Amino acid sequence: MSDVLRQRARTAVNIAFLATLAVFLGVIAGHQYLGESRDYRYYLWFFRLARSSQGIAQIDSRFEVGFRFLIYCLSLLGFSNVLIYTAICSFCVLLKGFAFRAAEVTWCAASVFLYFYLTRYFILFEMTVLRASIAFSIAFFVYFRKRDTKFHWHEFLLLVAAIGFHYSAIVFLIVYFTGRLNARGVVAFGVLVFLLGFFGKIVLFTWFRSVLPVLQSYPAWKIPSTIVPIPFMFDIAMVIVALFLWKRSDVAMKYSIVGIVLSVAIHFSMVGYPTIAGRFRELLSMFILVYVVRATLSEDRMLKLLAVSFALFSGALLFYGMLFYEPLLTP
C-alpha cells in the first residue's frame, strides 16, 4: 500500500471514530444519562416554545439570536426536543475533532485531548450549558488551528458567530486582537484588565445589564464566594509556568496564554461577584484545553511532560468536583 493510500485510510478511520464518538456523546448528553443538569428542562421548554412559534421574531426568550435561529431551524426539520439537544452536542464534539489537522492526530495528542475533554469539559459544557458549549467549540476550532498572528476574515467571522450563541464569547474577540503581545505585554494587559474591572465593575454591570437581558435573570451579583477555587489555583500556576516557557510555545499556545491571563484578571477584578466571574472563567477555560493539547504536539519534552501531568491532575480534580464535591448533575 502506497503512503498516499495509507494516509487516506488512516484519515478515514479517524473520521469514522470521531463521528461515532460524537454521536455517542451526543446521545449521552441529549438523554442526560449521567444525570440531569440544572438547565436541561429549561432548554427542553425553549425547544417547545420555538416549535410553536410562527417565526424567530415571535420567540420571546432571553437567549441569543444565533441560538434562537438554530433551534427554530432544527424544529422546522421535525427534530424532537431530545434530538435537538443530541444533534447540537454531537456537532460540538465534531467541531472540536475537526480542529485537528490530519498530520496532528498522534496517539499522545488524541489520548490527552479525549481524557482532558471528557473529565473537565464534557459535563460542564455539553451536559449543562448548551449555548456556551457551541461558542466554546467554535472558538476552540479557531484557536487550535491558529498558525500566525495575522488577521483572517474567516476566523473573525467565526468568533462573531460564537457571540451569537453566547454573549460572553466576546472575550474570544478580545484575545484575537491582543494575541500579538509578547510575554511582558501579556502581563501588562492582564494588570490593565484587572484595574479596569476592579474600579469600574459597578459601571460595567449597569451597562451590561441594560444591554444584555440575560443578566436580569441573575438572582444576585454580589454574593459570598470562595476567593480562589482550588482547581483555579492550579490553572493560575499553569499559566505562570507557561509565561516562563513563552519562547517554547507555538502561536496557538501564545494566544491561549493571553486568554488564560485574561481569565485570571477578570476573576480577581470581580471577587465578590462570582456569577459574572464564573461565566467568563468557565468560557475562557477553553484556552487551557488548547494550550495543553498543543503542548502535547510539541517536540519539547518538558512542555509535553508538563502538559500531560497537568491534564491528568486537573482533569481528575474537576471530574471529582463536578460529580461528587459540588455535583452539577442530579440523578
Side-chain angles (χ1 to χ4, degrees):
M1 181 182 292
S2 67
D3 291 340
V4 174
L5 291 177
R6 189 178 292 108
Q7 182 60 41
R8 288 179 179 177
R10 180 186 176 189
T11 300
V13 170
N14 290 338
I15 293 175
F17 173 77
L18 176 61
T20 302
L21 178 67
V23 172
F24 176 71
L25 293 177
V27 169
I28 289 178
H31 291 268
Q32 299 280 283
Y33 283 138
L34 299 180
E36 187 172 304
S37 71
R38 60 182 180 267
D39 293 337
Y40 182 67
R41 292 182 183 273
Y42 187 68
Y43 276 119
L44 296 186
W45 169 85
F46 175 72
F47 298 162
R48 289 192 293 270
L49 174 65
R51 185 176 291 105
S52 63
S53 300
Q54 298 301 312
I56 299 174
Q58 292 186 3
I59 303 176
D60 184 17
S61 171
R62 63 182 177 83
F63 287 158
E64 294 81 355
V65 63
F67 187 73
R68 279 182 279 166
F69 177 77
L70 174 63
I71 300 306
Y72 183 71
C73 291
L74 291 177
S75 65
L76 287 180
L77 293 174
F79 283 33
S80 67
N81 293 336
V82 172
L83 185 55
I84 290 175
Y85 202 106
T86 299
I88 292 174
C89 291
S90 296
F91 168 78
C92 288
V93 177
L94 275 175
L95 191 56
K96 294 184 188 76
F98 281 126
F100 287 82
R101 290 179 168 84
E104 296 174 337
V105 184
T106 64
W107 178 88
C108 181
S111 298
V112 170
F113 170 77
L114 284 175
Y115 168 81
F116 201 32
Y117 164 66
L118 291 174
T119 55
R120 175 163 180 166
Y121 297 96
F122 178 67
I123 293 176
L124 176 60
F125 285 93
E126 276 73 24
M127 290 286 296
T128 307
V129 286
L130 192 60
R131 290 148 43 238
S133 175
I134 302 172
F136 180 109
S137 301
I138 294 173
F140 181 84
F141 181 85
V142 171
Y143 283 106
F144 191 82
R145 298 172 69 89
K146 193 74 174 149
R147 294 295 180 272
D148 56 55
T149 59
K150 296 178 181 178
F151 176 89
H152 296 283
W153 275 106
H154 69 280
E155 295 173 343
F156 174 75
L157 292 176
L158 281 172
L159 294 177
V160 170
I163 299 172
F165 293 100
H166 203 281
Y167 292 132
S168 301
I170 193 172
V171 291
F172 294 135
L173 273 181
I174 295 174
V175 174
Y176 191 76
F177 289 110
T178 53
R180 296 182 181 183
L181 297 172
N182 57 26
R184 291 183 179 180
V186 173
V187 174
F189 169 67
V191 172
L192 177 62
V193 171
F194 167 77
L195 293 174
L196 288 175
F198 186 81
F199 292 106
K201 54 191 164 190
I202 301 299
V203 174
L204 288 172
F205 284 164
T206 303
W207 183 80
F208 279 132
R209 206 171 191 184
S210 64
V211 174
L212 306 180
V214 66
L215 296 182
Q216 301 289 346
S217 64
Y218 289 172
W221 286 352
K222 193 167 185 177
I223 57 178
S225 64
T226 303
I227 294 178
V228 186
I230 292 177
F232 194 54
M233 292 181 183
F234 294 99
D235 292 350
I236 295 172
M238 189 209 78
V239 76
I240 292 174
V241 173
L243 282 166
F244 279 105
L245 300 177
W246 177 267
K247 293 183 179 180
R248 303 188 186 194
S249 302
D250 64 18
V251 172
M253 293 166 68
K254 289 177 179 178
Y255 272 90
S256 297
I257 294 172
V258 177
I260 303 168
V261 168
L262 178 61
S263 174
V264 173
I266 292 175
H267 172 82
F268 283 104
S269 68
M270 300 294 170
V271 168
Y273 296 80
T275 303
I276 302 297
R279 295 278 178 171
F280 287 110
R281 187 174 65 245
E282 291 172 356
L283 202 57
L284 286 166
S285 70
M286 182 279 300
F287 287 107
I288 296 175
L289 181 61
V290 172
Y291 184 91
V292 166
V293 181
R294 293 292 324 167
T296 63
L297 295 169
S298 171
E299 296 181 357
D300 190 309
R301 292 186 178 182
M302 178 181 291
L303 272 180
K304 188 174 295 188
L305 178 61
L306 289 173
V308 172
S309 301
F310 176 81
L312 289 172
F313 179 79
S314 176
L317 182 63
L318 268 296
F319 188 73
Y320 170 79
M322 289 184 290
L323 281 186
F324 303 104
Y325 186 71
E326 292 183 352
L328 294 181
L329 308 174
T330 57

